[in-house]
């Protein structure tokens, strides 16, 4: 069975990201999953147990200060060499900022096609994508080279299948042109108890209808009760109600949780582009004609300041 390379996304603070576990699950349907760890010395050892838990049969470890101390160019060079040697059935990367850049550079180096924001991939190489702000489902396939795809987070339900991965150390050889952008400082973002927005199974978002920044405490309270992340519409962010890093939409982050709760959000196409692949959508808005209700699985027309506290009370009773 041919190998399927999965480029690992991880953080120093929290380890393997959920999207990596999703990609390993997807890779098992295509071939033998092999994880590729690109980082500093000791990175693979710290992640190997978690990767094996989700079926990684092999771990390629490219561990070097040259990988860790520069931006993505060295990673793409090392990955290109590995792909040329292994000839995998497919290469999977996360649809993150770094994942997409590595994939693009890799496609150029290999003279290979590329597909981004894939939500499904068949054994025949045919991928499923959501296009035109979610209004169309597209079936596509790389016509030049192997399937090189970036996978949208929360597209696959990660399923553990225990394996005992063998670790192979890769020789890191990069050129001067790979070292033109050095990392001079890393600042860890302050994290609370909430899950990361793009990986959360539940997202509660507020829009302009929330009224002001203080009222976003209502959004946060409901999110915390549901064990979810907090999001915001562009209108809410532009009005200064919530930081831009939590914006959901075409010019913000794309989410695809099991449950998406939209509070006071009208449902403009810009916002829908970032959340309409959510499995279940619940909307609360006082305007019964708001476009969000066209998308919602469950909708409540009414005052969110009366509805949300009642919903919060019911959730507390069931805990």
């Amino acid at each position: 069975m041919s190998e399927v390379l999965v480029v690992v996304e991880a953080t120093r603070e929290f380890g393997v990201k959920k999207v990596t576990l999703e990609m390993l699950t997807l890779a098992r349907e295509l071939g033998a999953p092999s994880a590729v760890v690109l980082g500093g010395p000791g990175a693979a050892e710290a992640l190997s147990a978690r990767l094996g838990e989700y079926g990684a049969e092999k771990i390629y470890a490219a561990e070097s200060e040259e990988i860790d101390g520069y931006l993505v160019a060295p990673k793409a060079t090392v990955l290109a060499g590995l792909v040329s040697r292994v000839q995998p059935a497919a290469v999977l990367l996360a649809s993150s900022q770094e994942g997409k850049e590595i994939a693009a550079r890799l496609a150029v180096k290999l003279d290979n096609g590329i597909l981004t924001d894939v939500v499904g991939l068949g054994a025949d190489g045919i991928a499923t994508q959501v296009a035109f702000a979610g209004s169309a489902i597209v079936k596509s396939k790389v016509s030049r080279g192997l399937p090189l795809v970036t996978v949208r987070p929360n597209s696959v339900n990660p399923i553990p299948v225990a394996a005992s991965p063998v670790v192979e150390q890769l020789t890191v050889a990069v050129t001067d042109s790979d070292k033109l952008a050095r990392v001079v400082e890393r600042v860890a973002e302050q994290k609370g108890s909430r899950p990361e927005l793009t990986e959360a199974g539940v997202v509660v978002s507020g829009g302009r209808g929330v009224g002001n920044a203080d009222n976003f405490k209502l959004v946060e309270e409901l999110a915390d009760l549901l064990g979810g992340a907090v999001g915001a519409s562009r209108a809410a962010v532009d009005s200064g109600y919530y930081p831009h890093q939590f914006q959901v939409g075409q010019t913000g982050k794309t989410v695809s949780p099991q449950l998406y709760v939209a509070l006071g959000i009208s449902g403009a196409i810009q916002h829908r582009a970032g959340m309409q692949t959510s499995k279940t959508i619940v909307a609360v808005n006082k305007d019964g004609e708001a476009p969000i209700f066209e998308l919602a699985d469950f909708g409540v027309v009414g005052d969110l300041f009366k509805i949300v506290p009642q919903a919060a009370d019911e959730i507390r009773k069931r805990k």
Side-chain angles (χ1 to χ4, degrees):
M1 186 180 292
S2 297
E3 290 183 65
V4 177
L5 299 183
V6 174
V7 179
V8 174
E9 286 252 338
T11 64
R12 286 176 167 80
E13 297 81 10
F14 303 103
V16 178
K17 286 190 173 183
K18 181 185 172 187
V19 66
T20 298
L21 309 181
E22 295 178 38
M23 291 190 292
L24 286 170
T25 301
L26 180 60
R28 294 201 302 267
E29 301 175 9
L30 310 174
S34 293
V36 183
V37 176
L38 303 166
E45 182 180 358
L47 305 177
S48 60
R50 187 65 166 164
L51 296 173
E53 184 182 345
Y54 281 81
E57 298 180 11
K58 193 171 189 177
I59 297 175
Y60 292 103
E63 301 172 311
S64 162
E65 293 297 341
E66 291 181 318
I67 291 287
D68 204 39
Y70 296 88
L71 295 186
V72 300
K75 297 179 180 180
T77 295
V78 171
L79 192 56
L82 178 62
V83 171
S84 297
R85 174 167 69 86
V86 173
Q87 294 295 306
V91 180
L92 309 182
L93 302 96
S95 275
S96 60
Q97 182 175 343
E98 179 170 291
K100 288 180 179 179
E101 184 172 352
I102 294 174
R105 288 174 178 268
L106 181 61
V108 171
K109 290 177 180 294
L110 299 177
D111 191 22
N112 201 102
I114 181 175
L115 296 172
T116 60
D117 285 328
V118 165
V119 297
L121 183 64
D124 56 1
I126 296 178
T128 303
Q129 296 165 292
V130 181
F132 298 115
S135 61
I137 302 296
V138 177
K139 298 290 186 180
S140 51
K141 186 176 183 179
V142 171
S143 59
R144 188 184 186 93
L146 54 82
L148 170 58
V149 304
T150 68
V151 178
R152 178 180 289 187
N154 278 326
S155 299
V156 179
N157 183 32
I159 301 172
V161 173
S164 300
V166 176
V167 179
E168 178 181 325
Q169 294 292 333
L170 298 178
T171 300
V172 177
V174 298
T175 65
D176 289 341
S177 62
D178 292 325
K179 298 188 287 185
L180 298 179
R182 177 186 290 274
V183 177
V184 296
E185 183 182 11
R186 286 186 172 91
V187 179
E189 181 182 349
Q190 293 299 314
K191 295 284 186 180
S193 58
R194 300 186 188 110
E196 204 278 323
L197 181 57
T198 58
E199 297 193 348
V202 176
V203 175
V204 181
S205 288
R208 196 197 304 270
V210 174
N212 57 53
D214 286 340
N215 289 342
F216 247 84
K217 294 176 182 176
L218 197 64
V219 180
E220 293 177 330
E221 180 186 19
L222 185 59
D224 290 341
L225 285 170
L226 294 171
V230 175
S233 70
R234 178 176 176 176
V237 170
D238 288 349
S239 298
Y241 298 172
Y242 220 64
H244 179 268
Q245 69 200 69
F246 299 100
Q247 181 179 321
V248 174
Q250 199 164 19
T251 55
K253 294 184 177 179
T254 299
V255 300
S256 186
Q258 295 296 316
L259 173 64
Y260 187 89
V261 182
L263 304 176
I265 295 175
S266 64
I269 190 66
Q270 191 279 141
H271 184 75
R272 292 168 62 155
M275 47 67 70
Q276 65 182 4
T277 56
S278 303
K279 309 307 181 288
T280 301
I281 299 171
V282 177
V284 180
N285 199 298
K286 64 182 180 181
D287 179 8
E289 301 299 318
I292 192 69
F293 289 121
E294 299 173 5
L295 191 64
D297 298 288
F298 302 95
V300 182
V301 179
D303 185 349
L304 69 89
F305 298 105
K306 295 179 180 178
I307 294 165
V308 174
Q310 292 179 43
D313 287 341
E314 290 298 322
I315 293 170
R316 289 190 191 94
K317 290 177 184 177
R318 300 188 182 196
K319 286 205 166 198

